Amino acid sequence: MGDRPLTADEFLAAERLGEDAVLEGAELQHVFWTMRGRNKELERREAFWAATNQALEAAYAELESAKHALDLARTELERTNAELEQRVSEQVEEIVARAREVERLNAELRLQVQSRSRELAEALRKLERGRADALAPGQLFAQRFRLQRTLGAGGMGVVFHAEDTATSDPVALKVLRPHLNADVAHLQRFLSEAETASLLDDPRLVRTRQVDVSDSGRLFLVMDYIEGRTLADFLEAGRVIPGLACRLAAGIARALEAAHRSGVVHRDIKPRNIMVARDAPVVRLLDFGIAALLSSDTASGEALGTPRYLSPEQARGLPTTPSSDIYSLGVILYQMLEGRLPFDARTPKEWLQAHREADPRAMHAEHVLAELTQACLAKRSAERPRALALAETLDTLADERGAPAGPVLAHTLHQPATLLSLMQL
Amino acid sequence: MDSEHDELEMVGFFLHSFLRAAVNINALLPGDDVEQLLAADPASWYPASAFTGRMDALAERFTDFEPIQQRIGEEMMRLWFEFGPGRQIVTTSVDFLRFQTGSEGYRSVIRGPDHLVGAFDLVALDESAGTASVRSSTPFVRPMERGVLLGGLQLAGDTVYVDVVQDPADPDLFHIEYH
């Protein structure tokens, strides 16, 4: 630079200054203000950029916050989607599993139906070949049962005391008459009901062990053999003393209660289907499901024999309920107390009409017994007592009249000498 | 500015200048319906709310808005000088002071009732000392007017130092120093 002072421009343009560089006067003033001016401008620019950066940071923070919210929403959406997919997948699996199960059950059902149909067809074939062979003690029936003696005979068939040669057990063998070889619908129903009844497990209910068709086409039932007589045998002698009538009716009611509790209705309660055994329980019921073999033509009653014990609803061809059995018990109770049946009817048609419409004949029995009997004979099923309540009332009445019970009753009833004296008034 | 002053109008050119300045300093982005506003006729007059509404929207983006307003004012002057008549009018910084505070300056961009329009008056000038004072009674915000003065005083290129501050006791009074 030399000896002279620097100009302002030289000073500002210099990249380096010598130790002897001088700036003075107006040039110095100029440099001073220029530097100050630049500083001021820098300050203004800094303030501007600070404000701008602040705004940018705020905007960025907002953007970050929005991004975070978006990420959260996206994560939630993905989670929800995954959850939905999982649920849909599970539901699809469940549906497929159920469909497979349904298919399996259908296949099983088809097999069962086919098997049943084959059994039924075989039974029908045998039945079609059925002939009214004379059966007699000593014969071997169905290649298994040795007939011992005839226990009874009626419209439905013959009952034999027989020996199961396979087990040596004594059995009651009921061979049904050929004309009862029913159509497919009745046969199916009978088999179904007999099967249900075979599952009943109560000592008051005589178990049906087997239902089958013999090679000669005879439908038969194998039942437990009970030592004793049917109630019909006892009623042949006439009226029964009230206490004993109550005790026997209570036994029938308790047996009905056991069946009804299992959802089974007998539908053919009559003295011939009631056993009076030689041991306790004294009263036992026979022939569950037999009613299913009967024709639907109950109006004529031709297939029933005499419909003396039918309930009003059965007389009308309506479905039966446990209360229908109670009505039949009411007819038996009336018969025991009065020595006659509640209606003066002669033909099946008259019986059916009487059950439907007529009032029972007036009773001579004690008022309380008559009232209870009339309750059992109510035309409307809902008005009849239930089996258990009826049994308890009858037992109480029997106790009040000093009637024996349990083994004593059984022993007493089967003493030949006392039979008539106890039964007759 | 109070946006309720609907009797005030601004010339389209002023709105253009303001918008362009805001875009140039990145306070406004081109997508912020700027193009729609720039379609306004520069020679026509528009309600002052067209300016104030946009200014209020800008203010929401900045915590410290004053430096931005000041910078807008500076940029508006630069645009006026580079692309408007400024270069022909201003040859010295004193020329700018006289022009801006005269009727061809401020009063050329705003009109309406006098009490609302206000004034931008040069109340003192010492050329040898390089100082001046300007009093504002305009409806414009003071930081932007400070920017206008800062920017305008540097247009001619004859100054190396410019500072404009508001009187602490009288914010409508600007004290100017230039060298």
Side-chain angles (χ1 to χ4, degrees), chain B residues 12-13 15-17 19-20 33-44 46:
Chain B
F13 164 75
L15 291 175
H16 280 196
S17 177
L19 290 169
R20 277 284 172 226
D33 69 332
V34 168
E35 302 309 319
Q36 181 187 353
L37 292 171
L38 286 173
D41 178 11
S44 297
Y46 297 93

Side-chain angles (χ1 to χ4, degrees), chain A residues 282-293:
Chain A
V282 175
V283 177
R284 307 188 195 185
L285 296 185
L286 298 168
D287 284 356
F288 280 89
I290 296 294
L293 268 183

Side-chain angles (χ1 to χ4, degrees), chain B residues 48-114:
Chain B
S49 56
F51 166 78
T52 58
R54 181 52 57 185
M55 187 67 93
D56 290 342
L58 265 183
E60 287 178 9
R61 298 184 184 187
F62 297 92
T63 309
D64 185 6
F65 195 37
E66 283 192 12
I68 309 301
Q69 291 170 314
Q70 181 178 295
R71 191 76 181 84
I72 288 176
E74 290 182 56
E75 180 66 10
M76 285 174 70
M77 288 300 97
R78 188 188 72 80
L79 291 173
W80 175 72
F81 189 80
E82 295 291 336
F83 303 103
R87 198 181 285 278
Q88 284 75 42
I89 295 170
V90 173
T91 56
T92 68
S93 49
V94 175
D95 288 341
F96 169 77
L97 275 179
R98 290 199 175 107
F99 169 81
Q100 192 62 19
T101 56
S103 60
E104 292 180 3
Y106 170 67
R107 286 202 171 255
S108 68
V109 298
I110 188 168
R111 69 183 186 187
D114 283 346

Side-chain angles (χ1 to χ4, degrees), chain A residues 33-34 36-37 40 44 51 55, chain B residues 62 64 70 160-163 179:
Chain A
W33 287 114
T34 302
R36 284 202 67 192
K40 270 294 174 189
R44 288 192 286 267
Chain B
F62 297 92
D64 185 6
Q70 181 178 295
V160 292
Y161 173 89
V162 177
D163 195 17
H179 299 282

Side-chain angles (χ1 to χ4, degrees), chain A residues 135 141 147 152 154 156-162 171-177 210 212 218-223 268 270 272-273 286-287 290:
Chain A
L135 296 171
F141 180 78
L147 306 181
M156 294 201 53
V158 185
V159 184
F160 292 95
H161 174 208
V171 295
L173 185 71
K174 188 164 196 172
V175 184
L176 302 183
R177 294 194 185 285
Q210 180 185 350
D212 207 343
R218 301 292 292 274
L219 190 60
F220 67 92
L221 296 85
V222 182
M223 298 174 286
D268 193 23
K270 60 186 179 186
R272 287 213 176 278
N273 284 341
L286 298 168
D287 284 356
I290 296 294

Side-chain angles (χ1 to χ4, degrees), chain A residues 321-348:
Chain A
T321 67
S323 191
S324 307
D325 288 342
I326 300 297
Y327 181 92
S328 304
L329 171 55
V331 175
I332 294 172
L333 182 57
Y334 186 106
Q335 189 178 4
M336 287 195 288
L337 292 171
E338 297 294 309
R340 58 178 181 172
L341 289 163
F343 305 107
D344 183 20
R346 293 184 182 78
T347 67

